[in-house]
């Protein structure tokens, strides 16, 4: 194995991490959101900083503050998150998509507050699909790598929380998702009945595009983050 540069495996590298849950506006005071706490993303930021990286957080709504020393780009919706991630991509060596990106947004956002009316007609929400930011980043990768001044790879990782269902077990679902997304590895969180959101620990498996599967990793979000960042650094130095 090549000698690690002093100060950490990611010295001089730029890591972009999307963090938190997007909020999709219905009107000026209401949104559709999700329960992402942002803790795993913040732990990833800490882990990347500890390895010497320069870290950009594309930060949607989170319950915890970003660690000192990150560049923070605040976003609200999935569309804003996409723009920020794609804008950061040319200067990025490692992208980790830890954000809970809303799959759907209201088809219409009105600029005035939705009011009740007394004629007995209540609103019906129509939702439309949001872009798949991870997939778009993977598709943009070739173009980004061809740009002047880049000579290294661009490692892209995603997260997936899966349950088994009637059609397949969590691992099968995750393998299919990894293939669909085309990223380098997927951090699989097998979710049972107990909630993962907001919890301080995690059990994950890293699934590689090369078919590899790590031993199940059990530990704090920081321990998981260290494993994810280490894997990304290894792929970067191949
Ligand atoms: N993701 C994304 N853009 C979206 C949805 C998800 O970039 N519109 C990213 C997430 O940040 C995560 C990965 O894709 O890293 C997997 O998210 P997940 O919700 O599990 O995947 P989906 O493709 O949305 O599939 P599902 O229908 O199972 O929700
Ligand atoms: Ca989803």
């Amino acid at each position: 194995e090549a000698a690690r540069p002093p100060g950490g495996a990611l010295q001089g590298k730029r890591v972009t991490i999307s963090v938190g849950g997007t909020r999709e506006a219905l009107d000026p005071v209401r949104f559709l959101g999700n329960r992402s706490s942002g803790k795993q993303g913040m732990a990833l930021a800490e882990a990347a900083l500890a390895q010497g990286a320069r870290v950009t957080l594309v930060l949607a709504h989170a319950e915890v503050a970003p660690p000192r020393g990150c560049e923070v780009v605040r976003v609200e919706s999935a569309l804003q998150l996409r723009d920020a991630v794609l804008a950061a991509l040319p200067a990025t060596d490692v992208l980790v998509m830890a954000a809970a990106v809303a799959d759907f947004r209201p088809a219409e956002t009105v600029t005035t507050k939705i009011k009740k009316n007394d004629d007995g007609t209540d609103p019906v929400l129509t939702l439309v699909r949001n872009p798949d930011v991870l997939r778009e980043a993977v598709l943009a990768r070739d173009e980004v790598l061809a740009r002047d001044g880049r000579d290294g790879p661009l490692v892209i990782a995603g997260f997936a929380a899966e349950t088994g269902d009637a059609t397949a077990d969590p691992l099968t679902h995750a393998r299919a998702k990894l293939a669909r997304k085309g990223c380098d590895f997927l951090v699989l969180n097998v979710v049972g009945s107990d909630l993962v959101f907001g919890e301080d620990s995690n059990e994950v498996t890293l699934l590689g595009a090369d078919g590899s599967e790590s031993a199940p990793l059990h530990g704090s979000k920081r321990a998981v983050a260290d494993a994810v960042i280490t894997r990304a650094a290894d792929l970067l130095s191949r």
Side-chain angles (χ1 to χ4, degrees):
E1 201 191 304
R4 291 245 155 111
L10 290 174
Q11 200 69 46
K13 301 294 182 187
R14 294 167 186 252
V15 175
T16 299
I17 304 167
S18 70
V19 186
T22 63
R23 290 178 161 186
E24 310 297 317
L26 281 162
D27 73 9
V29 295
R30 303 185 180 98
F31 56 83
L32 300 178
N34 62 67
R35 293 190 193 279
S36 173
S37 68
K39 287 179 183 173
Q40 183 64 72
M42 297 312 180
L44 286 160
E46 286 169 8
L49 288 169
Q51 294 288 326
R54 290 162 67 179
V55 177
T56 298
L57 289 184
V58 175
L59 178 56
H61 182 262
E63 288 167 11
V64 288
R68 229 175 263 281
C70 296
E71 187 194 327
V72 177
V73 180
R74 287 188 186 270
V75 297
E76 179 153 301
S77 65
L79 292 177
Q80 289 171 358
L81 186 141
R82 173 188 51 183
D83 289 350
V85 166
L86 294 182
L89 216 53
T92 294
D93 298 296
V94 174
L95 169 67
V96 184
M97 284 293 301
V101 183
D103 291 333
F104 305 100
R105 67 178 181 277
E108 275 185 90
T109 304
V110 295
T111 53
T112 52
K113 190 183 167 198
I114 298 166
K115 305 290 280 182
K116 295 189 295 299
N117 59 36
D118 291 327
D119 64 5
T121 60
D122 292 331
V124 175
L125 283 182
T126 303
L127 303 179
V128 295
R129 195 74 84 88
N130 272 326
D132 185 330
V133 183
L134 176 54
R135 180 69 190 143
E136 288 196 5
V138 168
L139 291 175
R141 169 156 58 182
D142 288 348
E143 201 178 313
V144 163
L145 291 183
R147 283 174 60 118
D148 291 348
R150 279 201 66 111
D151 50 4
L154 166 53
V155 172
I156 303 181
F159 272 75
E162 302 284 351
T163 63
D165 59 24
T167 64
D169 62 22
L171 207 66
T172 307
H173 281 303
R175 279 258 163 243
K177 186 168 285 180
L178 175 60
R180 262 199 318 274
K181 304 279 187 184
C183 56
D184 299 298
F185 67 98
L186 204 58
V187 186
L188 167 62
N189 209 320
V190 176
V191 289
S193 50
D194 42 333
L195 281 175
V196 171
F197 288 113
E199 298 292 304
D200 282 321
S201 71
N202 237 342
E203 182 168 296
V204 306
T205 304
L206 307 190
L207 300 181
D210 59 359
S212 64
E213 180 183 329
S214 75
L217 255 144
H218 188 81
S220 65
K221 292 199 171 185
R222 177 58 195 273
V224 167
D226 284 331
V228 170
I229 293 300
T230 298
R231 166 68 69 93
D234 287 348
L235 290 175
L236 209 52
S237 63
R238 265 182 320 196

